[in-house]
Amino acid sequence: MSFSWTCPFCNHKATITSDNQSCKMHQFKGGNKHGFQAVKVNIICCPNDECMEYTLDISLHDHVETGSGYKHEAKRNWSLIPQSQAKVFPPYVPEAIVTDYTEACAIQHLSAKSSATLARRCIQGMIRDFWSVKKGRLIDEINAIEEKVDPMTWAAIDAIRKIGNIGAHMEKDINIIIDVEPQEANLLIGLIETLINDWYVVREERKIRLEAIVGLAEQKHEARKNA
């Protein structure tokens, strides 16, 4: 079975087939105290000739009885290579922001509250760096950019800041550890990825396009002068 896939190392989009993937299910012989379980090992090799890195994931499955037989129901998943699902961003994204984001991803499944703390610090770092806003509290800095960002971006930021403990603690020091659900930590990480792309990547791509236009215009101008 083929499926669409994006390499976490080079961001190359590809269709993965049996030529690029190895997937094996290993059952516990005789079961264990948790019932009949199995471990799945999944390896995908990037088909991009300039990358050719591989990912290695292991997942734990329960052997669940159904009306027509059995099925493997996933319980936990571990990403061994790379160690998290963090995306790779270009070097022009500030290092401190990438570091906080990467660490938030790495610890997400071990401690959602620690991941959320790093994510909040990352969001504050982006607001301060990109918008030159510094008011002390994250909630005040978010409010300060409401008129600066596009409506859809603001709607996403506003929605997340209204979530339970995340919203309540945006009014306090960003380094305070707060209890959040894993899905809430995942929402924060998703917001960070969107903001990095919308603010830094789009700006850089626009800069490159405009510089190309200016460069081409200058070449035409010089060519006409020397004609």
Side-chain angles (χ1 to χ4, degrees):
M1 181 179 67
S2 62
F3 59 92
S4 299
W5 178 80
T6 300
C7 176
F9 295 99
C10 69
N11 288 324
H12 177 76
K13 298 185 187 302
T15 298
I16 299 302
T17 67
S18 57
D19 293 334
N20 313 107
Q21 181 188 33
S22 176
C23 185
K24 300 290 184 182
M25 188 74 76
H26 304 274
Q27 295 188 4
F28 288 81
K29 295 294 185 180
N32 57 46
K33 72 175 186 178
H34 303 289
F36 290 98
Q37 294 183 313
V39 171
K40 183 170 73 173
V41 179
N42 188 45
I43 301 171
I44 299 176
C45 295
C46 179
N48 179 9
D49 291 337
E50 297 181 0
C51 176
M52 299 198 66
E53 282 283 1
Y54 65 91
T55 63
L56 172 60
D57 297 286
I58 294 179
S59 53
L60 179 66
H61 299 252
D62 278 344
H63 206 194
V64 180
E65 185 174 2
T66 66
S68 57
Y70 291 90
K71 69 175 183 177
H72 292 292
E73 186 176 90
K75 287 179 62 66
R76 288 197 63 183
N77 184 77
W78 296 269
S79 179
L80 302 183
I81 302 174
Q83 292 186 345
S84 78
Q85 298 300 313
K87 298 182 183 298
V88 177
F89 289 107
Y92 51 75
V93 180
E95 182 179 356
I97 290 171
V98 173
T99 297
D100 281 345
Y101 159 73
T102 303
E103 291 181 2
C105 290
I107 203 171
Q108 180 182 0
H109 297 296
L110 295 176
S111 174
K113 60 185 180 182
S114 297
S115 176
T117 300
L118 286 164
R120 285 183 300 146
R121 189 169 75 179
C122 182
I123 292 170
Q124 185 174 59
M126 280 193 287
I127 291 174
R128 291 181 173 185
D129 174 73
F130 192 86
W131 297 105
S132 299
V133 170
K134 187 174 182 180
K135 293 183 174 294
R137 297 190 310 168
L138 176 56
I139 188 66
D140 295 328
E141 293 166 352
I142 288 175
N143 289 333
I145 66 170
E146 180 178 1
E147 302 301 323
K148 302 176 184 289
V149 302
D150 66 90
M152 284 301 299
T153 299
W154 174 253
I157 295 173
D158 193 42
I160 287 180
R161 74 173 183 162
K162 291 177 180 177
I163 296 174
N165 286 340
I166 291 177
H169 286 78
M170 280 185 174
E171 300 181 3
K172 301 180 181 180
D173 189 294
I174 60 168
N175 293 312
I176 293 177
I177 304 295
I178 61 175
D179 287 321
V180 299
E181 297 294 327
Q183 287 185 332
E184 295 174 350
N186 190 54
L187 282 172
L188 282 172
I189 289 173
L191 176 63
I192 290 171
E193 292 171 349
T194 298
L195 295 182
I196 289 178
N197 182 73
D198 289 354
W199 293 352
Y200 293 96
V201 177
V202 170
R203 179 179 66 177
E204 186 67 17
E205 290 177 347
R206 179 176 182 271
K207 175 185 173 184
I208 291 172
R209 290 195 302 270
L210 293 178
E211 288 177 345
I213 292 171
V214 171
L216 181 59
E218 290 177 348
Q219 288 178 15
K220 293 289 186 182
H221 179 67
E222 289 298 320
R224 287 177 180 174
K225 283 174 56 179
N226 298 327

